[in-house]
Amino acid sequence: MNKPLKNESLQTEITNISRRNLLKGFALTGFVLAVGMPFAGFAEDEETPKYGRDAMPNGWVDNPLVFVAIAEDGTVTIVCHRAEMGQGVRTSLPMVVADELEADWDRVKVIQAPGDEERYGNQDTDGSRSVRHFFMPMRNVGAAARMMLEAAAAAHWGVGVDEVFAENHQIKHQSSGKTIGYGELAKAAAALDVPEREKLQLKPADKFRYIGKQSTKLIDGEDIVTGKAIYGIDVQVDGMVHAVIARPPVYGGKVKSFDDSETMKVPGVIKVVTLEGSPPPAVFNPLGGIAVIAANTWAAMQGREKLKIEWEHGENASYNTDEYRQQMLKSASSSGGKVLRSSGDVSKALETADKTFKADYYIPHLSQAPMEPPVATARIQNGKCEVWAPTQAPQASKDTVAKWLDISSDDVTVHVTLLGGGFGRKSKPDYLVEAALLSKAMDGRAVQVTWSREDDLHNGYLHTVSIEHLEAAVNADGKTTGWLHRTVAPSISSTFDASSVHQMPIELGMGVMNIPFAIDNIQLENPAAKAHTRIGWFRSVANIPRAFAIQSFIAEMADELGQDHKAFLLDLIGPARKIDPVELKDEWNYGESPEEYPLDTGRLRRVVEAVCEKANWGRDLPAGRGLGLATHYSFVTYTAAIVEVEVSEDGDLTIPRIDIAVDCGPQVNPERIRSQMEGACIMGISLAMVGEISFKDGAVQQDNFDSYQVSRMNESPREVHVHLLPAEDFNTPLGGVGEPGLPPIAPALCNAIFAATGKRIRDLPIRYQLES
Amino acid sequence: MKLSINGASHEVNLPEEMPILWTLRDVLGMTGTKFGCGKALCGACTVMLDGQPIRSCSTPISAAKDKQIVTIEAVSEDKIGRAIQQAWVELGVPQCGYCQSGQVVSATALLQNNSNPSDDDIDNAMSGNICRCGTYNRIRDAIKLAATKSGGAQ
Ligand code: FES
Ligand code: FES
């Protein structure tokens, strides 16, 4: 089914941006491009189950008229429709287009698409799927545009199209050696029909110029290091005023009464606005509170400090994470929770075992804490709202703002800026709605809402809090015969349905259902857990606690059994085989087809072997030093890490080195894959060492980076070595990159600490646990 | 009062305790300097005051009286600053890039005072700058590269 799309040309859109001239580097002139009716790539047959990009809301689009414009001076402009938050997507996807288009990267400009999924296809930048889902559509875009240029050149010279070919920004005539530049051809090419998808001639991989190469420079690199790059917080709109909001400290709370008389005396304060909250479930709704609008952010903050507010905290005021942890441990200690999967007879295996193992692993709430806190700017004119914001979810932003303003989604424009980090926090557009509501309260004047770091930590959509309870049975031959896993954690689903106490398939498919072990008796359970705060996505989500628990537990078992950890782990994984996720009752499989993306234990074994070889597993180390190993499968990518630690006698820990091996299928932009893995290593160390958000009487206890710590340079691994394992070719399925590096780091670190000191960490963060 | 920023003089009429950060960003429209914590904990707001790196979120404009402020917008005018920026681009340091204005200013100040910093010198100078994306290893490499190119380290 081809969805009808708005007949709006890229040219119009670009001219509009240019005229507004708000986002500096985005201004463009001199375009030549035809109006096109984009065709969207949807499966014709509604009955067939959809996977991958076909299953995402609004699917995908591969029309070159939507994504490419060529100016008469030859400048090629490529639209990036996914949000840039550090993963490098504004380089990687346009690079794919440029490669197929045979464009010279130095003459490529990238512009950011506003939220409009009908036009661009899905824009939810999460789940490590931008390149995984859009590699093929973007190849099609580039190839189609190239073929249109070739056809235009052939017509221009009056020769057959098979006599010409594209090379580095020009079309050449084979026999005569004549050339003509893209700029000269742009107008004629744009008037041609877009070739049918079936007739597209994609480049063979050995002709790739950028794809799979190390060298493509970051499109925004120079702007970033010179301070010119425009993030959400840098947006400036005529007449703009600044706001901060005092939000309820407890989830579900609201304002009982307030006094703003001192606030109004602060120089620069313009207005105080009461924002209605919304009762749980939170969804993407703003939390409400009292907003202070001022001439600048500092005055607004000063004004907020002078507010006197009495809150009605509501039923979550009794939330204390210390007590909650005890409650979760209790639920985890006995059966009776929801059974997710049961094969064989675990109770019997445990009863008859030669040796049994049992452990609980705890990870507290975590805050994504992107360096740029949530921020948004909105303006309302003639009943239409424009928002500028760093958002991972442009379409959800548009729809949610429209709902709160009670206008049509078509009357909301969401301009996506660069994100100063996202990590899942900026998938929730509550802060865009705040800006829109405040603009409305200011009769449409542009208002920028900035969250302070305190706001970000106090009122986030946090990573859940969890107990993973594991038990295992081992027989006299040292073979593992039974595996029991009870996972206890408030679910992300509670953010959308307040009554929800069980985890959803997406969370269970992150290392509970899809364990790769060859064990006969398995029981998986999910006892209930009620949420008392907004639970959200945090880079790699529920994989964090699962990898930590399972990979620590396996190391504990190996040690107790006197076996080498690597050998024991490989033995547990068993022989190389492709496991059908359906057999594992994994209903999620990261949204991908079970046939195309089985759980491949051969690939898991390979990353373990590779990282052990690279880090020289088994080597002798001086006292106080240790190596720790962990592996994990997530976002259809396989990773394994070895952390090396040194722990001094008084418990000071340093990390000389981390090795991480990655099999993510074909590597489109290897340089950015490396940087994502390096970053994941640092973030993994950070959350394991110091990451914790705790609650007392319903409120978050951490205020800023002094109490919610994140790793600094002197606390980070001195060396990070990323080992990318090659895929067979570019036709094999792609895996995710942004998230899968994170899960194995915390367990590898704790296993290393055990190797160095004999101390086993089951509760994160590690913080002072190493002090004797 | 008068503020000297990147060699130009700006007359502002603001409370003396207003932080340099918000003066730059919200009053003068110079948005290269970033807000990350507001409490001198993250370094995103780092600028130079008479050649020393300071946290502009926690430094009032009164402290800049008769002094020179240099922000990220003018770092490229300095030879060492430009070398740092080029090394950053060459090694692909930035991920989201939000912390990098502050990182570049801190690194420039480091190399201006110490042409051949050791790993410990780098740790000391840079550990006030948080990078949530985790670009620390490349930052270290880029500082060494810039030092070599500026004729410092061998
Ligand atoms: S914003 Fe100034 S140090 Fe963080
Ligand atoms: S590059 Fe994102 S915070 Fe440093």
Side-chain angles (χ1 to χ4, degrees), chain B residues 21 34-46 55-58 128:
Chain B
L21 172 68
K34 303 302 187 214
F35 166 67
C37 71
K39 298 274 160 66
L41 296 166
C42 78
C45 65
T46 307
R55 310 298 182 218
S56 67
C57 68
S58 307

Side-chain angles (χ1 to χ4, degrees), chain B residues 1-5 8-12 23 28 61 64-65 69:
Chain B
M1 68 181 282
K2 253 198 182 62
L3 289 175
S4 166
I5 304 166
S9 176
H10 297 261
E11 185 65 42
V12 293
T23 307
L28 301 172
I61 49 175
K65 225 175 260 168
I69 298 171

